[in-house]
Coordinates of all heavy atoms in Angstrom, one line a residue:
M19 N -6.2 0.7 -19.1 CA -7.4 0.9 -18.1 C -8.8 0.8 -18.7 O -8.9 1.3 -19.8 CB -7.2 2.3 -17.5 CG -8.4 2.6 -16.6 SD -8.4 4.4 -16.0 CE -8.8 5.1 -17.5
S20 N -9.6 0.1 -18.1 CA -11.0 0.0 -18.6 C -12.0 0.2 -17.4 O -12.2 -0.8 -16.8 CB -11.2 -1.3 -19.2 OG -12.5 -1.5 -19.6
L21 N -12.2 1.4 -17.1 CA -13.1 1.7 -16.0 C -14.1 2.8 -16.3 O -13.7 3.9 -16.5 CB -12.3 2.0 -14.8 CG -13.1 2.3 -13.5 CD1 -13.7 1.0 -13.0 CD2 -12.1 2.9 -12.4
N22 N -15.3 2.5 -16.5 CA -16.4 3.5 -16.6 C -17.0 3.4 -15.1 O -17.6 2.5 -14.9 CB -17.3 3.2 -17.6 CG -16.7 3.2 -19.0 OD1 -16.0 4.2 -19.3 ND2 -17.2 2.3 -19.9
V23 N -16.7 4.4 -14.4 CA -17.1 4.4 -12.9 C -18.6 4.3 -12.8 O -19.4 5.0 -13.4 CB -16.7 5.6 -12.2 CG1 -17.1 5.7 -10.9 CG2 -15.0 5.5 -12.2
V24 N -19.0 3.3 -12.0 CA -20.4 3.2 -11.5 C -20.4 3.3 -10.0 O -19.9 2.4 -9.4 CB -21.0 1.8 -12.0 CG1 -22.4 1.7 -11.6 CG2 -20.8 1.7 -13.6
L25 N -20.9 4.4 -9.5 CA -20.9 4.6 -8.2 C -21.9 3.6 -7.4 O -22.9 3.3 -7.9 CB -21.2 6.0 -7.7 CG -20.3 7.1 -8.2 CD1 -20.8 8.5 -7.9 CD2 -18.8 6.9 -7.7
D26 N -21.5 3.2 -6.2 CA -22.3 2.3 -5.4 C -22.7 1.1 -5.9 O -23.9 0.6 -5.7 CB -23.6 3.1 -4.8 CG -23.2 4.4 -4.1 OD1 -22.2 4.4 -3.3 OD2 -23.8 5.5 -4.3
R27 N -21.9 0.5 -6.7 CA -22.1 -0.9 -7.3 C -20.7 -1.7 -7.1 O -19.8 -1.1 -7.1 CB -22.5 -0.9 -8.8 CG -23.8 -0.2 -9.1 CD -24.9 -1.0 -8.9 NE -26.1 -0.4 -9.3 CZ -26.9 0.4 -8.7 NH1 -26.7 0.5 -7.4 NH2 -28.0 0.8 -9.2
F28 N -20.8 -2.9 -7.0 CA -19.6 -3.8 -6.9 C -19.1 -3.9 -8.3 O -20.0 -4.3 -9.3 CB -19.9 -5.0 -6.2 CG -19.8 -5.0 -4.8 CD1 -20.9 -5.1 -4.1 CD2 -18.5 -4.7 -4.1 CE1 -20.9 -5.0 -2.7 CE2 -18.5 -4.7 -2.7 CZ -19.6 -4.8 -2.1
G29 N -17.9 -4.0 -8.6 CA -17.3 -4.3 -9.9 C -16.2 -5.3 -9.7 O -15.3 -5.1 -8.8
E30 N -16.2 -6.4 -10.3 CA -15.2 -7.3 -10.2 C -13.9 -6.8 -10.9 O -13.8 -6.6 -12.1 CB -15.5 -8.7 -10.7 CG -14.5 -9.8 -10.4 CD -14.9 -11.1 -10.8 OE1 -16.0 -11.3 -11.4 OE2 -14.1 -12.2 -10.5
I31 N -12.7 -6.9 -10.3 CA -11.5 -6.5 -10.9 C -10.9 -7.8 -11.6 O -10.5 -8.7 -11.0 CB -10.4 -6.0 -9.9 CG1 -11.0 -4.8 -9.1 CG2 -9.0 -5.7 -10.5 CD1 -10.2 -4.3 -7.9
I32 N -11.1 -7.7 -12.9 CA -10.6 -8.9 -13.6 C -9.3 -8.9 -14.2 O -8.7 -9.8 -14.6 CB -11.7 -9.3 -14.7 CG1 -11.8 -8.1 -15.8 CG2 -13.0 -9.6 -14.2 CD1 -12.7 -8.5 -17.0
E33 N -8.6 -7.7 -14.1 CA -7.3 -7.5 -14.6 C -6.6 -6.3 -13.8 O -7.3 -5.4 -13.5 CB -7.3 -7.2 -16.1 CG -6.0 -7.3 -16.8 CD -6.0 -7.0 -18.3 OE1 -6.9 -7.7 -18.9 OE2 -5.3 -6.3 -18.8
G34 N -5.4 -6.4 -13.6 CA -4.7 -5.3 -12.9 C -3.4 -5.7 -12.3 O -3.1 -7.0 -12.2
N35 N -2.7 -4.8 -11.7 CA -1.4 -5.0 -11.1 C -1.4 -5.7 -9.9 O -0.6 -6.7 -9.6 CB -0.6 -3.7 -11.0 CG -0.3 -3.1 -12.3 OD1 -0.3 -3.8 -13.3 ND2 0.0 -1.8 -12.3
H36 N -2.1 -5.3 -8.8 CA -1.9 -5.7 -7.4 C -3.2 -6.4 -6.8 O -3.0 -7.3 -5.9 CB -1.5 -4.6 -6.6 CG -0.2 -3.9 -6.9 ND1 1.0 -4.7 -6.9 CD2 0.2 -2.8 -7.5 CE1 2.0 -3.8 -7.3 NE2 1.4 -2.7 -7.9
Y37 N -4.3 -6.0 -7.1 CA -5.5 -6.4 -6.5 C -6.4 -7.3 -7.4 O -6.6 -6.9 -8.5 CB -6.3 -5.2 -6.0 CG -5.4 -4.4 -5.0 CD1 -4.8 -3.2 -5.4 CD2 -5.3 -4.7 -3.7 CE1 -4.0 -2.5 -4.6 CE2 -4.5 -3.9 -2.7 CZ -4.0 -2.8 -3.3 OH -3.1 -2.0 -2.5
R38 N -7.0 -8.3 -6.7 CA -8.1 -9.0 -7.3 C -9.2 -9.0 -6.2 O -8.9 -9.2 -5.1 CB -7.8 -10.4 -7.7 CG -6.7 -10.6 -8.8 CD -7.3 -10.0 -10.2 NE -6.5 -10.4 -11.3 CZ -5.6 -9.6 -11.6 NH1 -5.2 -8.5 -10.9 NH2 -4.8 -9.8 -12.7
G39 N -10.4 -8.8 -6.7 CA -11.5 -8.7 -5.7 C -12.6 -7.9 -6.2 O -12.8 -7.9 -7.5
F40 N -13.4 -7.3 -5.5 CA -14.5 -6.5 -5.9 C -14.4 -5.0 -5.5 O -14.3 -4.7 -4.4 CB -15.8 -7.1 -5.4 CG -16.0 -8.4 -6.0 CD1 -15.4 -9.6 -5.6 CD2 -16.8 -8.6 -7.1 CE1 -15.6 -10.8 -6.0 CE2 -17.1 -9.8 -7.6 CZ -16.5 -11.0 -7.2
C41 N -14.3 -4.1 -6.5 CA -14.3 -2.7 -6.3 C -15.6 -2.1 -6.0 O -16.5 -2.5 -6.6 CB -13.6 -2.1 -7.6 SG -13.3 -0.4 -7.5
H42 N -15.6 -1.2 -5.2 CA -16.7 -0.3 -4.9 C -16.3 1.0 -4.6 O -15.4 1.4 -3.9 CB -17.4 -0.8 -3.5 CG -18.7 -0.1 -3.2 ND1 -18.7 1.0 -2.4 CD2 -19.9 -0.3 -3.6 CE1 -20.0 1.4 -2.3 NE2 -20.7 0.6 -3.1
I43 N -16.9 2.0 -5.4 CA -16.6 3.4 -5.5 C -17.8 4.1 -4.9 O -18.8 3.9 -5.5 CB -16.0 3.9 -6.8 CG1 -14.9 3.1 -7.3 CG2 -15.8 5.4 -6.8 CD1 -14.4 3.4 -8.7
S44 N -17.6 5.1 -4.0 CA -18.7 5.8 -3.4 C -18.3 7.2 -3.2 O -17.2 7.6 -3.0 CB -19.4 5.2 -2.1 OG -18.4 5.2 -1.2
R45 N -19.3 8.1 -3.2 CA -19.0 9.5 -3.0 C -19.0 9.8 -1.5 O -19.8 9.2 -0.7 CB -20.1 10.4 -3.6 CG -19.9 11.9 -3.5 CD -21.0 12.6 -4.2 NE -21.2 12.3 -5.6 CZ -20.4 12.7 -6.6 NH1 -19.4 13.6 -6.3 NH2 -20.6 12.4 -7.8
D46 N -18.0 10.6 -1.0 CA -17.9 11.0 0.4 C -18.5 12.4 0.5 O -17.9 13.3 0.1 CB -16.4 11.1 0.7 CG -16.2 11.6 2.2 OD1 -17.3 11.7 2.9 OD2 -15.1 11.7 2.6
T47 N -19.6 12.4 0.9 CA -20.4 13.7 0.9 C -19.9 14.6 2.0 O -20.1 15.9 2.0 CB -21.9 13.4 1.2 OG1 -22.1 12.7 2.4 CG2 -22.5 12.7 0.0
E48 N -19.3 14.1 3.1 CA -18.9 15.0 4.2 C -17.6 15.6 3.8 O -17.3 16.8 4.2 CB -18.6 14.1 5.4 CG -19.8 13.7 6.0 CD -19.7 12.8 7.3 OE1 -18.6 12.9 7.8 OE2 -20.5 12.0 7.6
E49 N -16.7 15.0 3.1 CA -15.4 15.6 2.6 C -15.3 16.0 1.2 O -14.2 16.4 0.7 CB -14.3 14.7 3.1 CG -14.2 14.4 4.5 CD -13.7 15.7 5.3 OE1 -12.9 16.4 4.8 OE2 -14.2 15.8 6.6
D50 N -16.4 15.8 0.4 CA -16.4 16.1 -1.0 C -15.3 15.4 -1.7 O -14.3 16.0 -2.3 CB -16.3 17.7 -1.2 CG -16.6 18.0 -2.6 OD1 -17.5 17.2 -3.3 OD2 -16.1 19.0 -3.2
G51 N -15.3 14.1 -1.7 CA -14.3 13.2 -2.4 C -14.9 11.9 -2.7 O -16.2 11.7 -2.8
F52 N -14.1 10.8 -2.8 CA -14.5 9.5 -3.2 C -13.8 8.5 -2.5 O -12.5 8.6 -2.3 CB -14.3 9.3 -4.7 CG -15.1 10.2 -5.6 CD1 -14.8 11.5 -6.0 CD2 -16.4 9.9 -5.9 CE1 -15.5 12.3 -6.7 CE2 -17.3 10.7 -6.8 CZ -16.7 11.9 -7.1
F53 N -14.5 7.4 -2.1 CA -13.9 6.3 -1.4 C -13.7 5.2 -2.5 O -14.7 4.8 -3.1 CB -14.7 5.8 -0.3 CG -14.7 6.6 0.9 CD1 -16.0 7.3 1.3 CD2 -13.6 6.8 1.8 CE1 -15.9 8.1 2.4 CE2 -13.7 7.6 2.9 CZ -14.9 8.3 3.2
V54 N -12.6 4.5 -2.6 CA -12.5 3.4 -3.3 C -12.0 2.2 -2.4 O -11.1 2.3 -1.6 CB -11.2 3.6 -4.4 CG1 -11.0 2.2 -5.1 CG2 -11.6 4.6 -5.4
M55 N -12.9 1.2 -2.4 CA -12.8 0.1 -1.5 C -12.7 -1.2 -2.4 O -13.4 -1.3 -3.5 CB -14.0 -0.1 -0.6 CG -14.4 1.1 0.2 SD -13.2 1.4 1.6 CE -13.6 -0.1 2.7
V56 N -11.8 -2.1 -2.1 CA -11.7 -3.4 -2.7 C -11.9 -4.4 -1.6 O -11.2 -4.5 -0.6 CB -10.3 -3.6 -3.4 CG1 -10.2 -5.0 -4.0 CG2 -10.1 -2.5 -4.5
Y57 N -13.0 -5.2 -1.9 CA -13.4 -6.3 -1.0 C -12.9 -7.6 -1.6 O -12.9 -7.8 -2.9 CB -14.9 -6.3 -0.7 CG -15.4 -5.0 -0.1 CD1 -15.8 -4.0 -0.8 CD2 -15.4 -5.0 1.3 CE1 -16.3 -2.8 -0.2 CE2 -15.9 -3.8 1.9 CZ -16.3 -2.8 1.2 OH -16.9 -1.7 1.7
R58 N -12.7 -8.7 -0.7 CA -12.4 -10.0 -1.2 C -13.7 -10.6 -2.0 O -13.5 -11.2 -3.1 CB -12.1 -10.9 -0.1 CG -11.6 -12.3 -0.6 CD -11.0 -13.2 0.5 NE -10.0 -12.5 1.3 CZ -8.7 -12.4 0.9 NH1 -8.4 -12.8 -0.3 NH2 -7.8 -11.7 1.8
Q59 N -14.9 -10.4 -1.5 CA -16.1 -10.8 -2.0 C -17.0 -9.6 -2.4 O -16.7 -8.6 -1.9 CB -16.9 -11.8 -1.3 CG -16.0 -13.0 -0.8 CD -15.8 -13.9 -2.0 OE1 -16.6 -14.0 -2.9 NE2 -14.5 -14.5 -2.1
A60 N -18.1 -9.8 -3.2 CA -19.0 -8.7 -3.5 C -19.9 -8.6 -2.4 O -21.1 -8.7 -2.5 CB -19.7 -9.0 -4.8
D61 N -19.4 -8.2 -1.2 CA -20.2 -8.1 0.0 C -19.5 -7.3 0.9 O -18.2 -7.4 1.2 CB -20.2 -9.5 0.7 CG -20.9 -9.6 1.9 OD1 -21.3 -8.4 2.5 OD2 -21.2 -10.7 2.4
P62 N -20.1 -6.2 1.5 CA -19.3 -5.1 2.2 C -19.0 -5.7 3.6 O -18.2 -5.1 4.3 CB -20.4 -4.1 2.5 CG -21.7 -4.7 2.1 CD -21.5 -5.8 1.2
Q63 N -19.4 -7.0 3.9 CA -19.0 -7.6 5.2 C -17.6 -8.5 5.0 O -17.2 -9.0 6.0 CB -20.1 -8.5 5.6 CG -21.4 -7.8 6.0 CD -21.2 -6.6 7.0 OE1 -20.6 -6.8 8.0 NE2 -21.7 -5.5 6.6
S64 N -17.3 -8.6 3.7 CA -16.0 -9.5 3.5 C -14.8 -8.7 3.9 O -14.8 -7.5 4.1 CB -16.0 -10.0 2.1 OG -15.8 -9.0 1.1
D65 N -13.6 -9.4 3.7 CA -12.4 -8.8 4.0 C -12.1 -7.6 3.0 O -12.3 -7.6 1.8 CB -11.2 -9.8 3.8 CG -11.2 -11.0 4.8 OD1 -11.8 -10.8 5.8 OD2 -10.7 -12.0 4.5
V66 N -11.6 -6.4 3.7 CA -11.3 -5.3 2.9 C -9.8 -5.5 2.5 O -8.9 -5.6 3.3 CB -11.4 -4.1 3.7 CG1 -10.9 -2.7 3.0 CG2 -12.9 -3.9 4.1
L67 N -9.5 -5.4 1.2 CA -8.2 -5.6 0.6 C -7.5 -4.3 0.4 O -6.3 -4.0 0.4 CB -8.1 -6.4 -0.6 CG -8.8 -7.7 -0.5 CD1 -8.9 -8.4 -1.9 CD2 -8.1 -8.6 0.4
L68 N -8.4 -3.1 0.2 CA -7.8 -1.8 0.0 C -8.9 -0.8 0.3 O -10.1 -1.0 0.0 CB -7.5 -1.6 -1.6 CG -7.2 -0.2 -2.0 CD1 -5.8 0.2 -1.6 CD2 -7.4 -0.1 -3.5
S69 N -8.6 0.3 0.9 CA -9.4 1.3 1.3 C -8.6 2.7 1.1 O -7.7 2.8 1.8 CB -9.8 1.2 2.8 OG -10.6 2.3 3.2
E70 N -9.1 3.5 0.2 CA -8.5 4.6 -0.2 C -9.5 5.8 -0.4 O -10.5 5.6 -0.9 CB -7.7 4.5 -1.5 CG -6.5 3.6 -1.4 CD -5.3 4.2 -0.7 OE1 -5.2 5.5 -0.5 OE2 -4.4 3.5 -0.2
W71 N -9.0 6.9 0.0 CA -9.9 8.2 -0.2 C -9.2 9.1 -1.2 O -8.0 9.2 -1.3 CB -10.0 8.9 1.1 CG -11.1 10.1 0.9 CD1 -12.3 10.2 1.1 CD2 -10.6 11.5 0.6 NE1 -12.8 11.4 0.9 CE2 -11.7 12.2 0.6 CE3 -9.3 12.1 0.3 CZ2 -11.7 13.6 0.3 CZ3 -9.3 13.5 0.1 CH2 -10.5 14.2 0.1
F72 N -10.1 9.6 -2.2 CA -9.4 10.6 -3.2 C -10.2 11.8 -3.2 O -11.5 11.7 -3.0 CB -9.5 9.8 -4.6 CG -8.7 8.6 -4.6 CD1 -9.2 7.4 -4.4 CD2 -7.3 8.7 -5.0 CE1 -8.4 6.3 -4.5 CE2 -6.5 7.6 -5.0 CZ -7.1 6.4 -4.7
P73 N -9.7 12.9 -3.6 CA -10.3 14.2 -3.6 C -11.2 14.5 -4.7 O -12.0 15.4 -4.7 CB -9.2 15.2 -3.4 CG -8.0 14.5 -4.0 CD -8.2 13.1 -3.7
S74 N -10.9 13.8 -5.8 CA -11.8 14.0 -7.0 C -11.8 12.8 -7.9 O -11.0 11.8 -7.6 CB -11.0 15.0 -7.9 OG -9.8 14.6 -8.4
M75 N -12.8 12.7 -8.8 CA -12.9 11.6 -9.7 C -11.5 11.4 -10.7 O -11.2 10.5 -11.0 CB -14.1 11.6 -10.6 CG -14.3 10.4 -11.3 SD -14.3 8.9 -10.4 CE -15.8 9.0 -9.3
Q76 N -10.9 12.6 -10.9 CA -9.7 12.7 -11.7 C -8.6 11.9 -11.0 O -7.9 11.1 -11.5 CB -9.3 14.0 -11.9 CG -8.0 14.0 -12.8 CD -7.6 15.5 -13.1 OE1 -8.1 16.4 -12.6 NE2 -6.6 15.6 -14.0
A77 N -8.5 12.1 -9.6 CA -7.6 11.4 -8.8 C -7.9 9.7 -8.8 O -7.0 9.1 -8.8 CB -7.5 11.9 -7.3
V78 N -9.1 9.5 -8.8 CA -9.6 8.0 -8.9 C -9.2 7.4 -10.2 O -8.5 6.5 -10.1 CB -11.1 7.8 -8.6 CG1 -11.5 6.4 -8.9 CG2 -11.5 8.3 -7.3
N79 N -9.4 8.1 -11.3 CA -9.0 7.7 -12.6 C -7.5 7.5 -12.7 O -7.0 6.5 -13.3 CB -9.5 8.7 -13.6 CG -11.0 8.5 -13.8 OD1 -11.6 7.5 -13.5 ND2 -11.6 9.6 -14.3
H80 N -6.7 8.5 -12.2 CA -5.3 8.2 -12.2 C -4.8 7.0 -11.4 O -4.0 6.3 -11.8 CB -4.6 9.5 -11.7 CG -4.6 10.7 -12.5 ND1 -3.9 10.7 -13.6 CD2 -5.2 11.9 -12.4 CE1 -4.1 11.9 -14.3 NE2 -4.9 12.6 -13.5
F81 N -5.4 6.8 -10.3 CA -5.0 5.6 -9.4 C -5.4 4.3 -10.2 O -4.5 3.4 -10.3 CB -5.8 5.7 -8.1 CG -5.7 4.4 -7.3 CD1 -4.5 4.1 -6.6 CD2 -6.6 3.5 -7.2 CE1 -4.3 3.1 -5.8 CE2 -6.5 2.3 -6.4 CZ -5.4 2.1 -5.8
V82 N -6.6 4.2 -10.7 CA -7.0 3.1 -11.5 C -6.1 2.8 -12.7 O -5.8 1.8 -13.0 CB -8.5 3.2 -11.8 CG1 -8.9 2.2 -12.9 CG2 -9.5 3.2 -10.7
R83 N -5.7 3.9 -13.4 CA -4.9 3.8 -14.6 C -3.6 3.2 -14.1 O -3.0 2.3 -14.7 CB -4.6 5.2 -15.2 CG -3.7 5.1 -16.5 CD -3.2 6.4 -16.9 NE -2.4 6.9 -15.8 CZ -2.3 8.2 -15.5 NH1 -3.0 9.1 -16.0 NH2 -1.5 8.6 -14.4
D84 N -3.0 3.7 -13.0 CA -1.8 3.2 -12.4 C -1.9 1.7 -12.0 O -0.9 1.0 -12.2 CB -1.2 3.9 -11.3 CG -0.9 5.4 -11.7 OD1 -0.7 5.6 -13.0 OD2 -0.7 6.3 -10.8
Q85 N -3.0 1.2 -11.7 CA -3.2 -0.1 -11.3 C -3.5 -1.0 -12.5 O -3.5 -2.2 -12.3 CB -4.3 -0.3 -10.2 CG -4.2 0.4 -8.9 CD -3.1 0.0 -8.2 OE1 -2.7 -1.2 -8.2 NE2 -2.1 0.8 -7.7
S86 N -3.8 -0.4 -13.7 CA -4.1 -1.2 -14.9 C -5.3 -2.0 -14.6 O -5.5 -3.1 -15.2 CB -3.0 -2.0 -15.3 OG -1.8 -1.2 -15.7
W87 N -6.3 -1.4 -13.9 CA -7.5 -2.3 -13.7 C -8.5 -2.4 -14.8 O -8.7 -1.4 -15.6 CB -8.3 -1.6 -12.6 CG -7.9 -1.8 -11.2 CD1 -6.8 -2.6 -10.8 CD2 -8.3 -1.3 -10.0 NE1 -6.6 -2.7 -9.4 CE2 -7.5 -1.8 -8.9 CE3 -9.3 -0.4 -9.6 CZ2 -7.7 -1.4 -7.6 CZ3 -9.5 0.0 -8.3 CH2 -8.8 -0.7 -7.3
V88 N -9.0 -3.5 -14.9 CA -10.2 -3.8 -15.8 C -11.3 -4.3 -14.9 O -11.1 -5.3 -14.2 CB -9.9 -4.8 -16.9 CG1 -11.1 -5.1 -17.7 CG2 -8.8 -4.3 -17.8
V89 N -12.4 -3.5 -14.9 CA -13.4 -3.8 -13.8 C -14.8 -4.2 -14.6 O -15.1 -3.5 -15.5 CB -13.7 -2.6 -13.0 CG1 -14.9 -2.9 -12.0 CG2 -12.4 -2.3 -12.2
Y90 N -15.3 -5.3 -14.1 CA -16.6 -5.8 -14.7 C -17.7 -5.4 -13.6 O -17.7 -6.0 -12.6 CB -16.7 -7.3 -14.9 CG -18.0 -7.8 -15.4 CD1 -18.4 -7.5 -16.7 CD2 -18.8 -8.5 -14.5 CE1 -19.7 -8.0 -17.2 CE2 -20.0 -8.9 -15.0 CZ -20.5 -8.7 -16.3 OH -21.7 -9.0 -16.7
W91 N -18.5 -4.5 -14.0 CA -19.5 -4.0 -13.0 C -20.8 -4.9 -13.1 O -21.2 -5.3 -14.1 CB -20.0 -2.5 -13.3 CG -18.8 -1.6 -13.2 CD1 -18.1 -1.0 -14.2 CD2 -18.3 -1.1 -12.0 NE1 -17.1 -0.2 -13.7 CE2 -17.3 -0.3 -12.3 CE3 -18.6 -1.2 -10.7 CZ2 -16.5 0.4 -11.5 CZ3 -17.9 -0.5 -9.7 CH2 -16.9 0.3 -10.0
Q92 N -21.3 -5.2 -11.9 CA -22.5 -5.9 -11.7 C -23.7 -5.2 -12.4 O -23.7 -4.0 -12.6 CB -22.8 -6.2 -10.2 CG -21.9 -7.2 -9.6 CD -22.4 -7.5 -8.2 OE1 -23.3 -6.8 -7.6 NE2 -21.8 -8.6 -7.7
D93 N -24.7 -5.9 -12.5 CA -26.0 -5.5 -13.1 C -26.5 -4.3 -12.4 O -26.5 -4.3 -11.1 CB -27.0 -6.6 -13.1 CG -28.3 -6.1 -13.7 OD1 -29.1 -5.6 -13.0 OD2 -28.5 -6.4 -15.0
Q94 N -27.0 -3.3 -13.0 CA -27.5 -2.0 -12.3 C -28.6 -2.3 -11.3 O -28.9 -1.4 -10.5 CB -27.9 -1.0 -13.5 CG -26.8 -0.6 -14.3 CD -25.9 0.3 -13.5 OE1 -26.2 1.1 -12.8 NE2 -24.6 0.1 -13.9
H95 N -29.3 -3.3 -11.5 CA -30.5 -3.6 -10.7 C -30.1 -4.3 -9.4 O -31.0 -4.7 -8.6 CB -31.6 -4.5 -11.5 CG -32.0 -3.8 -12.7 ND1 -32.7 -2.6 -12.7 CD2 -31.7 -4.1 -14.0 CE1 -32.9 -2.2 -13.9 NE2 -32.3 -3.0 -14.8
R96 N -28.9 -4.6 -9.1 CA -28.4 -5.1 -7.9 C -27.6 -4.2 -7.1 O -26.4 -4.3 -7.1 CB -27.6 -6.4 -8.2 CG -28.4 -7.4 -8.9 CD -27.7 -8.7 -9.2 NE -27.2 -9.2 -8.0 CZ -26.2 -10.2 -7.9 NH1 -25.7 -10.6 -9.1 NH2 -25.8 -10.7 -6.8
P97 N -28.2 -3.3 -6.3 CA -27.5 -2.3 -5.6 C -26.8 -2.9 -4.4 O -27.1 -4.0 -4.0 CB -28.6 -1.3 -5.1 CG -29.8 -2.1 -5.1 CD -29.7 -3.2 -6.2
L98 N -25.8 -2.1 -3.9 CA -25.2 -2.5 -2.7 C -26.1 -2.5 -1.5 O -26.9 -1.7 -1.3 CB -24.0 -1.6 -2.4 CG -23.2 -1.7 -1.2 CD1 -22.5 -3.1 -1.1 CD2 -22.2 -0.6 -0.9

C-alpha cells in the first residue's frame, strides 16, 4: 500500500487489485466519517466506479491496504 491521504484532491490509482481510476477521499461532517469515491476520470461528473463510506481514517487505511492501492495525488494547487 502506498497512500498518504490527501483529502479533497483526486489521486490516480496506478496500482491495485480491482479499481483503476481516480480516487477522491472527503470528510463526512454530518456522520463523522469519510467518503471514498473512485471516478473513471479526474472529474466528479464522470462515471462512479466505487462509492464507500467509512467511520474512521483507520477503516479507510484498512480498505486501501486490502486493495493494494498505489495512488498518485494531483498537485495541491488544483482543488476539486
Side-chain angles (χ1 to χ4, degrees):
M19 175 189 68
S20 177
L21 180 70
N22 294 319
V23 172
V24 179
L25 295 178
D26 300 320
R27 299 278 188 267
F28 280 108
E30 184 176 7
I31 300 170
I32 58 174
E33 188 176 314
N35 291 343
H36 301 289
Y37 300 98
R38 290 294 187 277
F40 292 83
C41 178
H42 183 266
I43 301 173
S44 61
R45 185 177 301 277
D46 177 6
T47 56
E48 292 181 20
E49 296 292 328
D50 196 29
F52 296 88
F53 289 110
V54 175
M55 305 285 290
V56 176
Y57 296 93
R58 188 171 307 282
Q59 301 294 324
D61 178 351
Q63 302 302 316
S64 70
D65 294 337
V66 175
L67 305 175
L68 171 75
S69 174
E70 292 284 338
W71 182 88
F72 296 93
S74 67
M75 188 52 68
Q76 181 179 10
V78 171
N79 286 332
H80 285 293
F81 174 76
V82 168
R83 181 196 64 218
D84 292 345
Q85 298 300 316
S86 298
W87 280 356
V88 174
V89 178
Y90 176 76
W91 296 99
Q92 285 187 347
D93 184 272
Q94 295 293 320
H95 301 289
R96 295 180 59 195
L98 174 66

